[in-house]
Amino acid sequence: MNPSNRVSRFRQSPRFVVSVLTLLVASTLAMPGYAAPVGQVASGKAASVSAAPTVVTAVEGITEYRLANGLQVLLIPDDSKPTTTVNVTYRVGSRHESYGETGMAHLLEHLMFKGSPKYPQVWSEFNKRGFNANGSTWYDRTNYFASFAANEDNLRWYLNWQADAMVHSFIARKDLDSEMTVVRNEMEMGENDGGRILMEKTVSAMYQWHNYGKSTIGARADVEGVDISHLQAFYRRYYQPDNATLIVSGKFDPAKTLPWIQQAFGAIPKPTRALPHLYTLDPVQDGERAVTLRRVGGVPLLYAGYHVVPGAHVDYAAVELLSVILGDTPSGRLHKALTEKQLAAGVFAFSEGLADPGFILLGAQLSPQQDAALSSKAMLDVIESSLKQAPITQEELDRAKAKWLKSWDMGFSDPQRIGVALSESVAQGDWRLFFLTRDRIKSASLADVRRVAGQVFVSSNRTLGQYVPTPTPERAPQPERVSVADMFKDFKAQGAQAKAEAFDASPANIDARTQRFTLPSGMKVALLAKSTRGQAVKASLTLRYGDEKSLANWGEAPAALAALLDKGTTSLSRQQLQDKLDALQAEVSFNSAPGQLMVNLVSKREHLPAVVALVADVLRHPALPADALEEVRHQALAALEEQSKEPEAVLAEAIGRHGNPYPVGDVRYARTFAETEADWKGVQIDRVRAFHTAFLAANNAQFSAVGDLDAPAVKQALQAGFGDWRNDKPFARVPNPLIKLPPARMVLPTPDKQNAAMSVTLPVPLSDRDPDYAAFMLANHLLGAGGDSRLWNRIREKEGLSYSVYSSVNWNPIEQHSEWTASAIFAPQNRDKVEAAFKEEVNRALTQGFTQTEFESGKRGLLNFRRLSRAQDARLAAGWVSNLYLDRTFALAAQVDAALESLTLDQVNQALKRYLKPEQFVLGLAGDFKPAKP
């Protein structure tokens, strides 16, 4: 499982530290296994299955119930999407591990997916039902969750599996042995990320005694040496109803669901054991601490960590606001002092609200040319000195509140995210902290934030990359726990949000509900109005321009233009533009591709017309400041330097250039890292402005919005902003014909990287309108795209060689030129085993074909995944943009579904043989491969 699935608050973080934010989380995506059960659950008085759950409290549309055996249940009904999310959170994480047991909570998460006597094929069942299922482990909790197309059978099955898994899972030596290499490969994957490991070392240095200083994934020695009996005892102790919270959100019937929960979980006895009381707290830090990490590749990073109060503490709201005031881009103090002055490529800040005293981490990413010593001094001056010399202003506080509350509100509007996000509040001590923290943010005073800053940001409370003796150390307040129960004596809940409609996400209904029209400029528009939670709306806009000849030789000017668009307009400064977006509760992003500029928008009903007008102003009248180009240049060069040493990126460069027939300057030409670096260093602001003037217009654009929107008002805003925006520049899509590549096997060195990668590519003469489209799609799903695929079961499950292995098809909608690819990551010493297993499974599928059982199960799973994707508003908006360009409707999706339904096993097997040609593979391997021992 991807570590980014750990959900904290809804606040977003800078793009260049996304991996840092979830650095210590360890999570897994596992498959079913077979073994004897662990044994009997701790004896206790059986709960009455017929006893009705007790209503405890209700807050803003969330109702809490309690079963007789202690299980806490939260129901969050919301019919705005035809999906249901179920999450079970256990109040156990790495904080609860004993000496020699680091990584045990995470390892148990892996083994939970290995099944039980009643449910031995867990992941196969997930795949068949089209579940988007996962699990994650963090300091104070472990959670398991699934989102699926709403129907009663899916819901009852998942509830029954969770109840059975709570007390009857295989936690067996056999499964532990087979999963061990996978867990090690997950560790190796993290070891390739310099930022991730630097954070692990920094946080470890911050905590002398508390388990927060130990990585959630654990010490390699502990994981490899774990005693299965200790793991089984850990499972029996913590995986019990009185230590768990069940959360059901989205579309479901509470009147039916509550009895199903009682039936599934109510029979589990209430345990008689007492959970251990954890009492360790670190003393106040009494001096600066330092840690240095030296590895090959990457770019310079600086972190400064400070201890803070627990997430439930009244002062934690001020900590959250301080992370925005200091770390936000472009308003944050670190950005102004470092990024704008060319001392850093970018900055960030985030905090961890935990059950016990947590931490806030601030940092900077540098380009290779920037001086780390000067940057470090400037960063500490901002954090520890400027807050005293120039105290936080009311304007800074108001801006931080607006940004934080905007993100919170957007997350709370999503029934799939809220069901999982509550896990963090449960882990802090009470799920209602989710709302109490929001209220504290709203009421935080300037004096509160200044006081907390003065207590936290003292040199003796800091962990950095150096040690500096301090004659008179300044101390932070002594750590303390809080009484959550006392805090809620006077808590007053707000009213629940209005209920949204139950939307039918079938292709026919999507087409029927969508208004389509064309503006005078030529822009094509699709608007799908439907009520949503919190009146949320998602929108996409693509501007298409140029042709093969006119797009040549522009280098990085198009990418620089996209990166500069949010830096202000001719009438709004960068800060004014960001403040206006925050006031409109909107998120807007700009991205580029050859011949395209893409805009993604997230907003609310009342603000969407104003956001459309603002985006039109940004696109038509961008400021394109020269100083911001330098910032963008540094960020791009830093990212390029980091990628140039990574196995996956090295493979992508080599395979992209293999057999590429296009000349330098052509948008289809595959550049080297050095050529890309030269293009970034050479791009000038005049060139960027010229590109904007020459190409951007709306006459070949497509816009789509999906959600709670006022269609007439949006249409009026589009007409005003884009209706007359045209140019005379010819537009023709750059052709992408099939180029036959010479087969190859390449082995590329990436020194000092503990994770290696394999990549395989094969051009196939297919488009998404070909008669064989559905058959080859399903064939690939069975071979490597599905969670129960041949490649996954062999390389990940059976042999435990890889954390991630898959195949996919990049479908071409126009030419008969799609691209089949396969990929795997692994430890360098397992290279030959991974390559051999991959080739054997491909050959077995071609010579023996798939079985009828595989075919039926895979077809059901693929169709369920397609239905689930149509229930996501952002995907619908993007889908409409594509359909408008291709002159299609969602009726084509219905035709593809029907084609999948009517397929036979022979058609699928024949399609695989017809198009998958191993003798034509371009296969690459990259890693730190050591010579074989004699």
Side-chain angles (χ1 to χ4, degrees):
M1 187 177 72
N2 192 315
S4 65
N5 282 326
R6 183 184 69 85
V7 179
S8 185
R9 294 151 300 281
F10 291 120
R11 177 166 45 80
Q12 294 182 340
S13 302
R15 60 175 179 252
F16 51 82
V17 291
V18 169
S19 64
V20 171
L21 295 185
T22 56
L23 161 56
L24 298 182
V25 72
S27 47
T28 203
L29 183 61
M31 308 274 285
Y34 305 87
V38 169
Q40 298 300 315
V41 178
S43 62
K45 184 177 181 180
S48 172
V49 177
S50 61
T54 302
V55 177
V56 178
T57 188
V59 177
E60 299 188 33
I62 303 177
T63 305
E64 177 186 350
Y65 301 85
R66 185 78 66 169
L67 270 58
N69 58 13
L71 179 70
Q72 184 183 54
V73 178
L74 304 180
L75 298 186
I76 316 172
D78 182 355
D79 290 345
S80 62
K81 289 184 179 179
T83 58
T84 306
T85 299
V86 182
N87 175 78
V88 175
T89 298
Y90 294 93
R91 289 177 282 278
V92 59
S94 59
R95 177 167 65 98
H96 301 81
E97 296 162 348
S98 299
Y99 182 78
E101 296 181 349
T102 60
M104 185 170 284
H106 168 243
L107 193 57
L108 181 57
E109 180 209 330
H110 272 255
L111 295 186
M112 285 288 285
F113 289 98
K114 291 294 186 179
S116 65
K118 186 176 180 180
Y119 297 92
Q121 297 281 352
V122 176
W123 193 252
S124 178
E125 189 70 18
F126 285 175
N127 186 63
K128 180 177 69 176
R129 293 173 177 272
F131 284 7
N132 183 7
N134 229 322
S136 71
T137 307
W138 198 227
Y139 292 116
D140 303 307
R141 56 93 188 133
T142 305
N143 70 319
Y144 304 86
F145 51 93
S147 293
F148 44 84
N151 70 65
E152 294 182 355
D153 180 65
N154 279 344
L155 178 57
R156 294 197 70 177
W157 186 92
Y158 192 76
L159 289 172
N160 288 332
W161 172 71
Q162 283 282 12
D164 184 75
M166 182 179 287
V167 290
H168 294 303
S169 290
F170 295 134
I171 308 296
R173 179 81 255 174
K174 169 179 174 290
D175 293 326
L176 180 62
D177 292 341
S178 68
E179 193 69 10
M180 188 58 63
T181 309
V182 172
V183 176
R184 282 196 295 260
N185 189 220
E186 187 176 357
M187 291 179 172
E188 290 147 359
M189 177 181 65
E191 288 289 333
N192 274 11
D193 187 337
R196 177 171 179 158
I197 301 304
L198 179 59
M199 181 176 170
E200 179 181 314
K201 305 295 186 186
T202 302
V203 176
S204 177
M206 291 178 69
Y207 291 94
Q208 186 176 5
W209 306 110
H210 199 284
N211 266 5
Y212 288 165
K214 295 180 174 61
S215 169
T216 305
I217 201 168
R220 192 181 186 108
D222 286 358
V223 172
E224 293 178 345
V226 65
D227 187 319
I228 188 63
S229 65
H230 291 180
L231 189 59
Q232 291 168 347
F234 192 88
Y235 166 65
R236 287 192 293 262
R237 181 182 308 123
Y238 290 108
Y239 278 57
Q240 294 291 329
D242 64 341
N243 195 45
T245 298
L246 169 67
I247 306 169
V248 184
S249 63
K251 183 176 182 179
F252 65 94
D253 185 349
K256 292 182 178 179
T257 302
L258 200 58
W260 294 340
I261 292 171
Q262 175 64 34
Q263 183 179 21
F265 291 88
I268 301 174
K270 183 174 184 178
T272 57
R273 60 90 181 90
L275 289 170
H277 173 61
L278 303 184
Y279 44 79
T280 300
L281 285 177
D282 264 38
V284 62
Q285 188 170 322
D286 57 358
E288 301 88 338
R289 298 177 184 174
V291 60
T292 300
L293 176 68
R294 300 183 189 275
R295 293 201 178 183
V296 172
V299 293
L301 295 166
L302 296 171
Y303 296 164
Y306 301 82
H307 297 275
V308 299
V309 294
H313 195 285
V314 66
D315 284 343
Y316 184 71
V319 174
E320 284 277 298
L321 291 169
L322 284 166
S323 70
V324 179
I325 291 168
L326 289 170
D328 180 57
T329 297
S331 67
R333 292 194 175 195
L334 287 172
H335 174 82
K336 295 180 184 299
L338 277 75
T339 311
E340 291 184 359
K341 295 182 179 179
Q342 310 301 318
L343 293 174
V347 297
F348 74 94
F350 72 95
S351 57
E352 284 294 344
L354 303 171
D356 285 342
F359 58 89
I360 183 172
L361 198 73
L362 308 99
Q365 183 186 61
L366 314 183
S367 68
Q369 296 78 25
Q370 291 169 330
D371 189 316
L374 291 176
S375 301
S376 176
K377 182 180 185 304
M379 182 173 73
L380 295 182
D381 285 344
V382 170
I383 299 169
E384 296 175 10
S385 300
S386 76
L387 292 179
K388 298 175 183 176
Q389 298 165 1
I392 294 164
T393 67
Q394 188 65 47
E395 181 184 5
E396 287 178 306
L397 177 58
D398 292 343
R399 181 180 292 128
K401 285 185 178 183
K403 185 175 292 291
W404 194 99
L405 292 169
K406 177 191 72 173
S407 295
W408 187 98
D409 188 68
M410 294 173 81
F412 185 52
S413 299
D414 188 335
Q416 288 179 253
R417 292 174 64 190
I418 184 65
V420 181
L422 285 169
S423 290
E424 305 303 323
S425 299
V426 168
Q428 290 172 0
D430 192 305
W431 64 271
R432 293 171 295 174
L433 285 165
F434 185 79
F435 301 97
L436 182 58
T437 300
R438 176 205 57 195
D439 295 348
R440 286 170 170 172
I441 291 285
K442 290 181 178 180
S443 63
S445 69
L446 187 60
D448 288 335
V449 177
R450 288 176 173 176
R451 172 180 55 81
V452 173
Q455 293 172 339
V456 171
F457 297 126
V458 295
S459 60
S460 65
N461 193 36
R462 179 219 311 154
T463 300
L464 192 65
Q466 59 184 356
Y467 170 75
V468 178
T470 304
T472 308
E474 190 177 4
R475 302 285 188 248
Q478 288 288 342
E480 61 177 15
R481 290 192 172 95
V482 297
S483 171
V484 177
D486 290 344
M487 294 178 181
F488 284 97
K489 289 179 180 178
D490 300 318
F491 176 68
K492 291 182 172 40
Q494 298 181 10
Q497 293 194 2
K499 186 177 181 180
E501 70 169 300
F503 180 71
D504 172 16
S506 66
N509 189 56
I510 292 170
D511 282 341
R513 291 281 296 271
T514 301
Q515 300 179 42
R516 283 167 284 164
F517 54 88
T518 302
L519 299 179
S521 62
M523 176 187 280
K524 296 180 179 180
V525 180
L527 303 178
L528 200 171
K530 64 188 187 74
S531 65
T532 58
R533 184 185 181 94
Q535 299 185 317
V537 59
K538 308 288 177 64
S540 292
L541 167 65
T542 296
L543 305 180
R544 302 178 196 271
Y545 47 78
D547 56 26
E548 178 180 350
K549 183 178 179 180
S550 64
L551 291 172
N553 299 309
W554 282 96
E556 289 296 339
L561 173 61
L564 289 171
L565 285 173
D566 64 357
K567 307 302 188 288
T569 70
T570 54
S571 59
L572 294 171
S573 69
R574 181 179 183 178
Q575 188 62 65
Q576 289 171 331
L577 175 59
Q578 186 61 56
D579 289 346
K580 197 164 185 179
L581 286 170
D582 289 340
L584 293 173
Q585 298 179 285
E587 291 284 353
V588 179
S589 63
F590 302 92
N591 295 284
S592 67
Q596 299 178 49
L597 180 74
M598 294 85 74
V599 187
N600 290 309
L601 300 85
V602 181
S603 188
K604 303 185 74 170
R605 178 187 178 91
E606 63 180 306
H607 299 308
L608 183 59
V611 175
V612 168
L614 185 59
V615 168
D617 185 38
V618 169
L619 291 172
R620 299 185 69 167
H621 311 110
L624 303 180
D627 58 344
L629 175 59
E630 295 309 310
E631 175 187 334
V632 168
R633 193 196 316 274
H634 282 303
Q635 291 174 349
L637 291 173
L640 188 65
E641 173 67 20
E642 186 169 29
Q643 284 295 301
S644 66
K645 305 297 190 298
E646 293 302 318
E648 293 91 340
V650 170
L651 276 178
E653 180 201 46
I655 292 177
R657 293 180 57 77
H658 178 74
N660 185 291
Y662 299 107
V664 175
D666 191 292
V667 294
R668 295 161 295 185
Y669 171 73
R671 293 174 294 173
T672 64
F673 287 120
E675 288 171 328
T676 304
E677 179 182 11
D679 282 345
W680 270 113
K681 288 181 176 179
V683 67
Q684 299 298 317
I685 195 63
D686 290 344
R687 188 75 167 156
V688 178
R689 292 167 180 166
F691 186 89
H692 174 268
T693 301
F695 288 105
L696 259 61
N699 36 315
N700 294 294
Q702 300 82 39
F703 176 88
S704 174
V706 178
D708 201 334
L709 57 90
D710 181 344
V714 176
K715 183 175 182 179
Q716 183 177 1
L718 289 167
Q719 176 66 46
F722 298 99
D724 62 349
W725 192 26
R726 295 181 56 86
N727 67 16
D728 298 325
K729 198 81 170 179
F731 166 71
R733 177 183 174 274
V734 178
N736 185 24
L738 188 144
I739 305 294
K740 187 173 182 180
L741 301 178
R745 179 184 182 272
M746 51 188 76
V747 179
L748 307 171
T750 55
D752 203 37
K753 295 296 179 182
Q754 297 190 36
N755 196 47
M758 178 186 74
S759 184
V760 185
T761 188
L762 174 71
V764 293
L766 285 172
S767 75
D768 67 1
R769 299 304 303 271
D770 194 281
D772 281 338
Y773 171 56
F776 192 66
M777 180 199 304
L778 181 52
N780 177 69
H781 184 77
L782 298 176
L783 178 62
D788 197 26
S789 68
R790 290 280 183 91
L791 293 177
W792 177 278
N793 285 333
R794 170 70 183 277
I795 298 174
R796 158 91 190 213
E797 277 304 294
K798 181 180 178 181
E799 298 191 15
L801 296 171
S802 176
Y803 177 74
S804 174
V805 56
Y806 64 90
S807 67
S808 63
V809 185
N810 182 17
W811 291 102
N812 189 320
I814 298 177
E815 294 104 342
Q816 300 291 105
H817 176 202
S818 297
E819 186 175 64
W820 181 86
T821 61
S823 179
I825 62 170
F826 49 89
Q829 63 269 25
N830 290 329
R831 183 191 73 188
D832 293 343
K833 293 179 181 178
V834 170
E835 185 179 3
F838 167 76
K839 292 180 176 179
E840 288 170 11
E841 287 306 312
V842 169
N843 182 65
R844 187 165 70 93
L846 289 170
T847 56
Q848 302 177 17
F850 302 108
T851 67
Q852 189 68 34
T853 300
E854 285 179 295
F855 168 72
E856 295 294 343
S857 176
K859 182 165 67 172
R860 286 195 302 272
L862 180 56
L863 285 166
N864 282 332
F865 280 128
R866 287 174 58 83
R867 295 182 187 111
L868 180 62
S869 71
R870 291 193 290 266
Q872 315 304 314
D873 290 353
R875 289 192 178 185
L876 273 182
W880 264 123
V881 164
S882 176
N883 282 343
L884 289 170
Y885 171 62
L886 298 169
D887 197 23
R888 298 175 177 178
T889 69
F890 276 86
L892 181 59
Q895 294 171 16
V896 174
D897 286 352
L900 286 168
E901 288 278 13
S902 64
L903 284 173
T904 65
L905 174 60
D906 183 64
Q907 287 175 316
V908 173
N909 285 332
Q910 291 303 316
L912 190 72
K913 292 180 181 179
R914 191 173 299 121
Y915 299 107
L916 198 65
K917 306 294 183 182
E919 68 276 9
Q920 298 176 13
F921 283 171
V922 177
L923 184 149
L925 301 146
D928 191 1
F929 303 124
K930 307 298 183 185
K933 294 182 180 180

